[in-house]
Amino acid sequence: MHKSLYIFVGSMAFLTGCQTLTTKPTPEPIAIQKPAEPAEPIVKVEKPVEITDVWQRISLQMEMPIDDQKLVNQYRDWYLANPRHLEIVSKRAEPYLHYIVEELEKRDMPIEIALLPIVESSFDPSAYSASAASGLWQLTSPISNYFGVKSDWWYDGRRDVPAATIAALDFLEYLYDRTGNNWLYAIAAYNTGEGRVNNAVRRNKAAGKSTDFWSLSLPRETQRYVPQLIALSDVIKNADKYGINLTPISNEPHIAIVDIQSQMDLKLAADLADMNINELKSLNPGLDRWATSPDGPHTLVVPYDKKDAFEQKLAQLDPKSKLNWHRYKIQSGDTVSHIAKRFDTSASFIRSSNNLKNNNIRAGRYLIIPVPPEGADLTTDQLLAQNQLTPKAVTYTVKSGDSLWNIARKYDVSVDALIRWNRLPKNGALSIGKVLTIGSATTNSGNERTVNYKVRSGDSLARIADKFNVSVDDLIKWNKLHNTKYIQPGQMLRLVVDVSKVNA
């Protein structure tokens, strides 16, 4: 009997100790059925949307509910019926809207607040209200001062868009905290004060009533203020659905804030920025004079694409050449305030520039006075202030053969200015012997502003004229109201006023 030892290598068996080779059958492999893996869900990958328009950037982030309320619907209908208004607003907003959106996103505040300047001022940085609020965000002096926005003879920070924006957002955050972290309450409080809003909430709680915004008893203006913003948000968010074509605003910085470190002549700054002075002033509407304020803020807003070149030229500039200085010999009878008015500067700046501890000056000594550069486009009131027109030019007695045109030409002023300064009839009729003022006290004060006023319920042309110390005829002329019998609440009127003479 033969014994065999099989060594299996793979599936073959080799015989050892025997000369016979045999093959052992290989069993068929058993197929093991794996359980079917669940199919992966099909995920549709959205292609990132490139946001090229600031309006689009705003609309994509809107989260405030659009409540179906009567006033919301009324204001929505008004915006849809007046698309021209949004066109004008969009043009005014173009330099500033990207900056405002960036600030809101940094603070994680509702993006709808970017639309608040439309409600407040129609995005006009020079807007002025009957309650003495001013600027894009319609800040009052007490509020702006509290939140660090300064104003002086040279500068009104409420009209400085970056400064006012920071203050307004600080104020809104403060109100949000003081009204129980409710943004509708905070926005209402921006219009009427947190005290009124919180008192209204407490009254409803005590009476067992709802405390949502729509249930609160608030002043009529505030009851309309919040719905107007919500309606506007709806129109912007759903512009395509409503057939509204918003003027695109490129989603990129439009302005830059440059540190100029000290007081600077605006004509020089405009030259360094390769701009004309009117373009520079339009971006810096808070500046009231021919130079920035000696006490700051020492910043200027310039177009974003001019920032680098402006900073390079500024760095090469001798700091002493930022202003032109005049060496003035003090005359008998001079006072610091008289000299300041003559040279269109402030008494405090003359004192600080000359190390004066008080207003005591002595005839025969000299003061250094900052003055606009030679060749600058000076206004008539600046020429009068600097005595480049003689004192006799301040008044003029009408003679036979005179006309407004030849008088205006003689003194290098406009006919419209003569009519306004002297409250002449619209036809400009003159009588021989009449004494005309060339450059009114309003003009000399440096406080004349072209402002927008939003008509309120109960307003009349006579009431508005009295409030701003202007004539009804001027209101009609400035706003082309000759064929209009009525003015409507919410309507914007243009006025040329002396803000120092607005009746409280």
Side-chain angles (χ1 to χ4, degrees), residues 303-353:
Y304 189 81
D305 58 1
K306 295 181 181 293
K307 171 180 177 287
D308 291 343
F310 178 65
E311 288 182 329
Q312 289 173 8
K313 293 177 182 177
L314 190 63
Q316 298 169 2
L317 187 70
D318 181 352
K320 294 179 181 179
S321 65
K322 288 182 179 179
L323 292 173
N324 284 321
W325 297 89
H326 174 72
R327 190 167 180 259
Y328 174 76
K329 187 175 182 179
I330 300 171
Q331 306 295 314
S332 178
D334 274 346
T335 65
V336 172
S337 59
H338 174 264
I339 296 170
K341 184 176 181 180
R342 179 178 179 183
F343 286 97
D344 193 30
T345 189
S346 65
S348 63
F349 190 42
I350 289 180
R351 288 194 298 268
S352 63
S353 299

Side-chain angles (χ1 to χ4, degrees), residues 183-197:
W183 277 115
L184 288 187
Y185 290 176
I187 292 167
Y190 189 86
N191 176 259
T192 196
E194 74 265 30
R196 284 179 177 165
V197 174

Side-chain angles (χ1 to χ4, degrees), residues 8-21:
F8 289 90
V9 180
S11 61
M12 300 296 294
F14 295 92
L15 181 65
T16 62
C18 179
Q19 299 300 315
T20 306
L21 177 66

Side-chain angles (χ1 to χ4, degrees), residues 260-381:
I260 58 173
Q261 299 182 340
S262 61
Q263 188 182 28
M264 188 172 187
D265 179 271
L266 296 185
K267 179 65 167 59
L268 174 60
D271 290 343
L272 294 182
D274 193 25
M275 305 169 67
N276 66 52
I277 194 166
N278 290 329
E279 290 172 335
L280 183 67
K281 285 183 175 180
S282 71
L283 289 179
N284 296 271
L287 298 176
D288 286 335
R289 305 290 166 176
W290 51 270
T292 61
S293 173
D295 299 322
H298 299 306
T299 57
L300 279 176
V301 175
V302 299
Y304 189 81
D305 58 1
K306 295 181 181 293
K307 171 180 177 287
D308 291 343
F310 178 65
E311 288 182 329
Q312 289 173 8
K313 293 177 182 177
L314 190 63
Q316 298 169 2
L317 187 70
D318 181 352
K320 294 179 181 179
S321 65
K322 288 182 179 179
L323 292 173
N324 284 321
W325 297 89
H326 174 72
R327 190 167 180 259
Y328 174 76
K329 187 175 182 179
I330 300 171
Q331 306 295 314
S332 178
D334 274 346
T335 65
V336 172
S337 59
H338 174 264
I339 296 170
K341 184 176 181 180
R342 179 178 179 183
F343 286 97
D344 193 30
T345 189
S346 65
S348 63
F349 190 42
I350 289 180
R351 288 194 298 268
S352 63
S353 299
N354 292 274
N355 295 318
L356 298 177
K357 295 181 180 180
N358 49 45
N359 289 324
N360 294 333
I361 54 177
R362 184 177 299 177
R365 293 191 175 180
Y366 288 87
L367 297 173
I368 55 170
I369 313 290
V371 294
E374 292 183 11
D377 297 326
L378 301 180
T379 60
T380 300
D381 56 303

Side-chain angles (χ1 to χ4, degrees), residues 46 147 313 359 488:
E46 297 286 349
F147 288 97
K313 293 177 182 177
N359 289 324
Q488 301 292 333

